[in-house]
Amino acid sequence: MEDLELVSIKQILVRKVKGLTSVPLSDLLSVEEPLEIRIAYGPKSERIQKNISVTMRTPGNDLELAIGFLFTEGIISSYQDVTDVYHVDMKCSSQKQNIVQVELAENFMPQLQQSDRNFYTTSSCGVCGKGSIESIRTVSPFSNQDKPQLNLSTDILYELPGKLSAAQSGFAATGGIHASGLFTVKGDLVLLREDVGRHNALDKLIGKALLKDTLPLDRHILLLSGRASFELIQKAAMAGIAIVAAIGAPSSLAVELAAEFDITLFGFLKEDRFNIYNLSSRILIPTSYETIMISQTT
């Protein structure tokens, strides 16, 4: 499997206004283009092709995005279900690479009931087109596995936003891109993926982990550069992630789902503060900190 070098940043000319003066300057924008994800399955003599999704994304890591999407939506259960994944050549004057084909093993039948929804997603909304909340409560293949007990240091948590920001080349250049970062409990950055769509960034990260056969990610911290939505927690649950921290706020459904999957969820993580929205009994933090949290909420 080989991903192509795709353009993720575009330079344009703008006029920047300050007070009563304006000057022409070059600016950088995050590229946003549609990506169509297709699958092919069935016996070699009777292959069936199905268009699964069109998502707006930042070009780059497209193959990981496609694999991660199929996995987090429950259409495939492991990378062993895939025999090949590649960009589809198409006649296009601008030479866009906006279609990814995923070839599935002949003896594997994809869970297509998961694709009955109208999968058209945009960069701002990862759950557009889904028929109902119940239709995306996909059961994680790791939900019945025993999770390890982990010790967390608040000092390490406070360092994560700065480390994520320092590693975000796309955000540094454009100021308009989301990131999902995977850290060890000691604070080491293991994997980072960026995209204009927060759900795409996470699918890319999980897709990479799936390709490397490192799932479940139950000994890591997932840090989200923005808010924690229901879909992001659902995708984290699918990957067996035990700890999710967000720079922004979680939604009410995200908190409910985190509790359902026993995921520790932090929000508003800054260099000196954060909120705990759900705390698994397997995640240990300093007693003094827990005492402070309890006194603030009683």
Side-chain angles (χ1 to χ4, degrees):
M1 186 189 77
E2 184 178 351
D3 211 341
L4 301 178
E5 188 69 27
L6 299 174
V7 177
S8 61
I9 295 175
K10 181 180 181 180
Q11 183 171 323
I12 64 169
L13 185 65
V14 300
R15 295 194 71 84
K16 294 203 173 186
V17 180
K18 184 176 182 179
L20 299 177
T21 63
S22 68
V23 293
L25 291 173
S26 63
D27 196 14
L28 296 176
L29 297 179
S30 298
V31 172
E32 183 177 30
E33 292 179 356
L35 179 71
E36 180 179 333
I37 300 173
R38 301 175 179 174
I39 63 170
Y41 62 96
K44 186 176 181 179
S45 60
E46 301 176 0
R47 296 292 278 178
I48 299 172
Q49 182 166 291
K50 186 176 179 65
N51 297 344
I52 296 297
S53 170
V54 176
T55 182
M56 301 301 291
R57 97 303 187 195
T58 301
N61 307 113
D62 287 347
L63 308 187
E64 297 172 5
L65 170 56
I67 293 297
F69 177 86
L70 294 178
F71 175 76
T72 59
E73 293 296 338
I75 296 172
I76 63 173
S77 56
S78 77
Y79 188 56
Q80 302 301 315
D81 302 330
V82 178
T83 59
D84 197 8
V85 54
Y86 52 87
H87 283 96
V88 175
D89 292 330
M90 58 182 295
K91 295 179 180 180
C92 176
S93 59
S94 56
Q95 299 299 310
K96 301 294 186 183
Q97 295 286 337
N98 287 343
I99 301 175
V100 167
Q101 176 99 357
V102 181
E103 300 286 342
L104 302 181
E106 291 186 47
N107 61 351
F108 174 74
M109 179 57 65
Q111 299 300 308
L112 293 180
Q113 67 271 21
Q114 302 297 338
S115 65
D116 286 342
R117 305 186 296 272
N118 177 24
F119 275 131
Y120 176 77
T121 56
T122 68
S123 60
S124 60
C125 176
V127 291
C128 297
K130 291 182 163 77
S132 67
I133 291 297
E134 291 303 318
S135 70
I136 56 174
R137 289 187 181 274
T138 316
V139 177
S140 169
F142 309 113
S143 59
N144 294 323
Q145 292 188 6
D146 291 335
K147 298 177 182 178
Q149 188 173 65
L150 300 175
N151 294 302
L152 273 185
S153 164
T154 53
D155 290 337
I156 287 176
L157 285 172
Y158 293 148
E159 294 174 354
L160 299 188
K163 291 181 177 180
L164 185 72
S165 178
Q168 275 191 264
S169 58
F171 184 82
T174 69
I177 200 164
H178 293 282
S180 289
L182 193 68
F183 292 84
T184 67
V185 291
K186 293 184 178 181
D188 298 322
L189 180 61
V190 177
L191 187 59
L192 171 74
R193 288 293 182 265
E194 293 181 292
D195 199 278
V196 289
R198 58 177 61 89
H199 54 289
N200 291 338
L202 183 51
D203 273 339
K204 289 177 178 180
L205 184 148
I206 294 173
K208 181 64 173 180
L210 195 65
L211 294 171
K212 293 172 63 179
D213 194 25
T214 56
L215 296 182
L217 302 173
D218 54 3
R219 296 180 180 273
H220 296 80
I221 302 168
L222 171 65
L223 179 59
L224 306 172
S225 63
R227 63 185 180 86
S229 66
F230 175 91
E231 187 184 41
L232 295 184
I233 300 302
Q234 181 255 340
K235 291 179 183 294
M238 286 294 294
I241 294 172
I243 305 169
V244 177
I247 303 297
S251 68
S252 60
L253 283 179
V255 175
E256 291 176 19
L257 194 63
E260 180 179 326
F261 282 94
D262 198 28
I263 294 174
T264 291
L265 178 59
F266 304 129
F268 293 108
L269 178 60
K270 310 296 181 185
E271 62 182 11
D272 62 349
R273 67 178 72 91
F274 60 88
N275 292 346
I276 299 176
Y277 293 90
N278 188 64
L279 183 62
S280 169
S281 60
R282 297 181 176 86
I283 307 301
L284 304 180
I285 57 178
T287 303
S288 59
Y289 184 80
E290 290 185 288
T291 302
I292 292 173
M293 290 298 299
I294 293 172
S295 66
Q296 289 177 340
T297 56
T298 55

